[in-house]
Amino acid sequence: MSVTIKSAKEIELMREAGRLLEITHNELAKAIKPGISTWEIDQLGEQIIRSFGCTPNFLNYNGYPASICVSVNDEVVHGIPSKKRILQEGDIVSLDAGLIYKGFHSDAARTHAVGEISKEAKQLIEVTKQSFFEGIKFARAGHHLHEISAAIGAYAESFGYGVVRDLVGHGIGTSLHEDPQIPNFSQKRRGIRLQPGMTLAIEPMINAGRYDVEWLDDDWTVVTEDGSWSAHYENTVLITEDEPEILTLGHIYE
């Protein structure tokens, strides 16, 4: 395993990549409403990213055909945008997006309500988001990577939710996916010791039902096996000597 430690200059570039991605997500959030197609969300996201002079890092990544992964209800991740898929009142939609700024990647995901949603759906979104923040309490130099994993999993499972096991977070930098892999559930080993300058994409994917998932015939869209709904929350995080810096959240805890 080769985990890269970023230099001060590289961190500045990743900070800017994160800042621009946060703006992209904030703009996309304003567009989420009943009647919009997942294709329109993707088109808007690509326009915003390119308006910064950046490149959408998901587009054509291993053949993925869009710039924004748009996953609805029981779709966990990697939903392919379509003109035919129209968001309905009461849906939830996860947007996973990333961009490349001067050779450096950022990656973040948010799950949104479409209009008014059920209490159960609202709780799923909130718990998924909070599980991220429970995890990054351990995202500091001297701790071990899998302390993050265990904290995310324990929090989400305390609500009876299933923590997806087939997909994990990852390191990030000049490549979208770098070492290390970051599970969202407890591990037998402690994992690597965290060091300042590591940049990690930490991304809980939480199902309302069981953790089992399956891939659709498009070879991309991951859905829950039991049909339960799923939420996704992700940020690009910088390990420092002190508090972790969330590069895709304006450096501020929400």
Side-chain angles (χ1 to χ4, degrees), residues 74 76 207 210-214 223-228:
D74 67 330
V76 181
N207 300 342
R210 297 194 312 272
Y211 65 71
D212 310 85
V213 299
E214 57 189 9
V223 298
T224 61
E225 203 177 77
D226 61 7
S228 63

Side-chain angles (χ1 to χ4, degrees), residues 3-19:
V3 180
T4 60
I5 304 295
K6 310 305 189 292
S7 68
K9 183 177 181 184
E10 289 172 330
I11 288 167
E12 278 306 313
L13 294 171
M14 290 202 66
R15 229 176 235 136
E16 184 62 6
R19 186 184 76 84

Side-chain angles (χ1 to χ4, degrees), residues 45 51 67 71 77 102 116 141 157 162 169 176 197 199 213 232 253:
S51 76
S67 298
S71 307
V77 285
K102 295 187 178 178
E116 285 296 315
E157 287 169 353
L176 175 57
T199 43
V213 299
H232 186 195
Y253 283 73

